[in-house]
Amino acid sequence: MSKIFVLPKLPYELDALEPVLSKETLEYHYGKHHAAYITNLNGLIDGSDFANMPIEDIIARADGPMFNNSAQAYNHTFYWDGMKPPTGDKDNLPTGQVADALKEAFGDFEKFKAAFSEVGAKHFGSGWAWLLKNKSGKLEIKGMHDADTPVKDGDTPLLALDVWEHAYYIDYRNKRPDYIAAFWQLINWQFVENQLLAPKREPLMLPVEQ
Ligand code: FE
């Protein structure tokens, strides 16, 4: 019997990101969309060469539906982990080594925020805005289409922003820039720092015995 992936538990309750993201959005986005990627992935890996691999290894080797479902399973886990309940501090500024790294790469935090927001807002169609550390150790902002993910290229993801319509349409309808403006209140900078400083990336998702 091959192992299967399970939908990772959210690091907070479904209503914990309100008022920025509603419980209804998380019920659909996490409970339906993310869950479906994992169900589809389990159907695809069963009996295949990809059975029993960490998700990063599947993403690196797969194409077609196997790539799309493994990458979306990964991307959504990363997106949820990169957020935390809002505290009422609308600025929610990074501190310490993340603040220093963003300043070094982009000039200052406001410039980074503007550039990342623009990549998310102007991305055409479904996809993601990523902050990543590339193989030379440099921080970069990248817009990626559909399921595409920095893990495929061997870069280290630091922060993910889902700009698929399913991420914001219940709460913000067609106003993607409003969703992005509100997203900054939710960023879990401690998670970003952990990714930035980790000497080696641990597998984000491992299949388990049924
Ligand atoms: Fe999504």
Side-chain angles (χ1 to χ4, degrees):
M1 247 351 219
S2 60
K3 295 177 180 177
I4 59 163
F5 287 97
V6 292
L7 181 65
K9 253 186 80 67
L10 284 178
Y12 34 74
E13 299 299 319
L14 285 169
D15 62 358
L17 303 183
E18 291 189 345
V20 178
L21 293 176
S22 66
K23 183 179 180 190
E24 189 183 359
T25 285
L26 268 71
E27 282 170 348
Y28 277 85
H29 197 182
Y30 169 74
K32 306 279 185 203
H33 291 274
H34 193 184
Y37 293 126
I38 289 176
T39 302
N40 294 341
L41 176 61
N42 285 329
L44 291 164
I45 60 174
D46 187 31
S48 81
D49 294 345
F50 296 92
N52 306 329
M53 283 184 190
I55 200 146
E56 288 86 348
D57 292 0
I58 300 176
I59 292 169
R61 292 167 174 80
D63 55 19
M66 183 77 81
F67 173 75
N68 288 335
N69 285 286
S70 59
Q72 284 294 75
Y74 178 98
N75 292 346
H76 284 88
T77 302
F78 205 91
Y79 171 66
W80 303 125
D81 287 353
M83 294 189 285
K84 61 173 179 53
T87 61
D89 170 12
K90 298 238 186 249
D91 293 330
N92 185 31
L93 297 173
T95 55
Q97 306 210 48
V98 173
D100 294 344
L102 291 174
K103 195 172 171 190
E104 192 189 320
F106 304 103
D108 61 42
F109 177 73
E110 286 306 318
K111 284 191 184 129
F112 161 69
K113 184 173 174 177
F116 188 89
S117 297
E118 188 175 327
V119 166
K122 290 193 172 160
H123 182 85
F124 188 77
S126 297
W128 298 81
W130 290 95
L131 172 66
L132 60 88
K133 185 167 72 172
N134 69 22
K135 289 182 282 295
S136 324
K138 237 177 106 52
L139 265 53
E140 268 181 53
I141 298 164
K142 239 186 203 176
M144 302 187 96
H145 282 280
D146 301 326
D148 211 1
T149 180
V151 183
K152 181 84 177 170
D153 307 320
D155 293 327
T156 302
L158 303 178
L159 179 69
L161 171 63
D162 190 339
V163 296
W164 285 59
E165 283 185 350
H166 66 224
Y168 59 87
Y169 226 81
I170 292 171
D171 296 325
Y172 297 90
R173 297 299 174 192
N174 58 321
K175 298 189 185 82
R176 191 197 288 176
D178 290 2
Y179 155 65
I180 295 172
F183 169 73
W184 295 93
Q185 295 175 57
L186 300 181
I187 297 174
N188 181 346
W189 291 112
Q190 185 60 55
F191 173 80
V192 177
E193 182 172 284
N194 294 347
Q195 310 313 307
L196 181 70
L197 301 181
K200 179 179 167 297
R201 203 153 20 94
E202 298 297 326
L204 188 68
M205 296 167 72
L206 287 166
V208 295
E209 297 287 350
Q210 301 185 52

